[in-house]
């Protein structure tokens, strides 16, 4: 089983690596492919049988464009070398929509959705929002009209990870399942947090790379996951409330529990 894990920055990559390399029998090495530098962690085959697990860890850059480009480069190189990946994981820290995803919790995407790819309009969404409920004056005042790119006749806005794998990982990690939004500009106001949750009522977290990683994986026909450790609430920027160290530790803990699930999962089981 070969897994590509894409994070935005080295601190997130190192938090993932820490789950396997200190201490333990895993071996780690670095290698370069055109357009990407990978840290490889190889775990010994499980004693009871199963696939040998290899994880390539990539700090691919901040934002969906950088994440897509670096992930695509790694996927292409692996295919050309005759060692294609079985799964791609977008991993890191992110903001959590309160109160459903508190700081320090884990969120596992059952939908990876880009929240700001489309067109603004001068009209609001109407009397009924995405939840089907009548808008309050406060929500109507903050909600801008927005048309997703799919309604303009182009592309896609959502990728869905394999249900069976999401269920198994959630069971072993305790992660909350829901939509993870990809944004190019991190939310910094209560008004935008309200608007995003109105348009995406199942959203639990926002980050900046998941959809880019998912686009690259989809182009190569490889299933994708996204897991986020919540470092801050979505809303007004309050650096004093950020808990980056706590979130990175939660990310390490999550990946420490993933190896048996990934080793036993059948990558051809994409129907459940």
């Amino acid at each position: 089983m070969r897994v590509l894990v894409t994070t935005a920055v080295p601190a997130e990559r190192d938090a993932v690596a820490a789950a396997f390399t200190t201490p333990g029998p895993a071996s780690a090495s670095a290698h370069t492919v055109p357009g990407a530098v990978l840290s490889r962690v190889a775990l010994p085959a499980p004693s009871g049988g199963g696939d040998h697990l290899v994880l390539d860890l990539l700090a691919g850059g901040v934002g969906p464009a950088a994440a897509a480009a670096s992930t695509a480069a790694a996927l292409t190189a692996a295919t050309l070398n005759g060692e294609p990946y079985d799964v791609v994981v977008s991993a890191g820290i992110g903001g959590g929509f309160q109160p459903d995803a508190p700081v320090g919790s884990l969120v596992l995407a059952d939908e990876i959705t880009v929240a700001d790819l489309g067109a603004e309009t001068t009209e609001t969404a109407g009397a009924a929002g995405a939840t089907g409920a009548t808008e309050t004056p406060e929500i109507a005042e903050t909600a801008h009209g927005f048309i997703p790119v799919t309604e303009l006749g182009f592309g896609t806005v959502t990728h869905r990870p394999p249900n069976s794998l999401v269920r198994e990982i959630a069971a072993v990690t305790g992660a909350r399942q829901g939509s993870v939004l990809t944004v190019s500009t991190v939310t910094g106001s209560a008004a935008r947090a309200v608007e995003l949750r109105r348009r995406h009522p199942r959203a639990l977290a926002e980050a900046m790379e998941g959809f880019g990683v998912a686009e690259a994986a989809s182009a190569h026909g490889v299933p994708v996951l996204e897991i986020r450790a919540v470092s801050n609430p979505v809303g007004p920027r309050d650096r004093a409330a950020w808990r980056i160290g706590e979130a990175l530790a939660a990310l390490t803990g999550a990946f420490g529990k993933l190896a048996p699930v990934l080793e036993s999962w059948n990558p051809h089981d994409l129907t459940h």
Side-chain angles (χ1 to χ4, degrees):
M1 171 69 70
R2 299 177 58 80
V3 181
L4 175 64
V5 181
T6 301
T7 68
V9 297
E12 293 168 321
R13 177 201 62 202
D14 295 345
V16 174
F20 304 104
T21 58
T22 53
S27 60
S29 61
H31 65 287
T32 301
V33 299
V37 178
L38 305 172
S39 297
R40 176 163 295 178
V41 177
L43 277 67
S47 58
D51 286 344
H52 173 63
L53 182 62
V54 175
L55 298 100
D56 282 341
L57 313 181
L58 168 64
V62 174
S70 58
T71 301
L75 286 164
T76 300
T79 300
L80 292 176
N81 289 335
E83 298 178 327
Y85 293 107
D86 298 296
V87 182
V88 179
V89 184
S90 176
I93 62 176
F97 286 94
Q98 304 303 301
D100 298 319
V103 172
S105 65
L106 291 169
V107 174
L108 182 64
D110 55 21
E111 294 181 343
I112 301 169
T113 296
V114 60
D116 50 10
L117 183 61
E120 284 191 341
T121 75
T122 57
E123 301 175 355
T124 61
T131 62
T134 300
E135 291 181 351
T136 65
E138 292 79 8
I139 292 178
E141 182 179 354
T142 60
H144 299 288
F146 179 81
I147 303 173
V149 71
T150 48
E151 293 186 18
L152 299 174
F154 307 104
T156 186
V157 294
T158 295
H159 292 280
R160 291 178 174 83
N163 287 336
S164 61
L165 190 53
V166 169
R167 287 195 303 267
E168 292 181 37
I169 292 175
V172 300
T173 63
R176 300 154 194 256
Q177 298 179 56
S179 297
V180 176
L181 304 183
T182 298
V183 294
S184 295
T185 301
V186 172
T187 298
S189 69
R192 187 167 188 248
V194 168
E195 180 188 350
L196 287 175
R197 200 68 185 278
R198 182 188 64 83
R199 294 199 334 246
H200 305 281
R202 295 188 66 255
L204 293 182
E206 73 165 21
M208 300 181 74
E209 294 79 32
F211 186 78
V213 173
E215 283 280 89
S218 177
H220 284 260
V222 181
V224 65
L225 297 169
E226 183 172 9
I227 186 165
R228 294 286 168 179
V230 177
S231 60
N232 58 277
V234 175
R237 288 177 64 82
D238 178 9
R239 295 181 70 92
W242 293 1
R243 298 292 182 268
I244 293 176
E246 181 180 341
L248 291 173
L251 191 65
T252 300
F255 271 86
K257 300 172 182 177
L258 288 186
V261 177
L262 293 173
E263 287 167 344
S264 62
W265 184 68
N266 179 1
H268 301 291
D269 181 16
L270 302 177
T271 59
H272 303 290

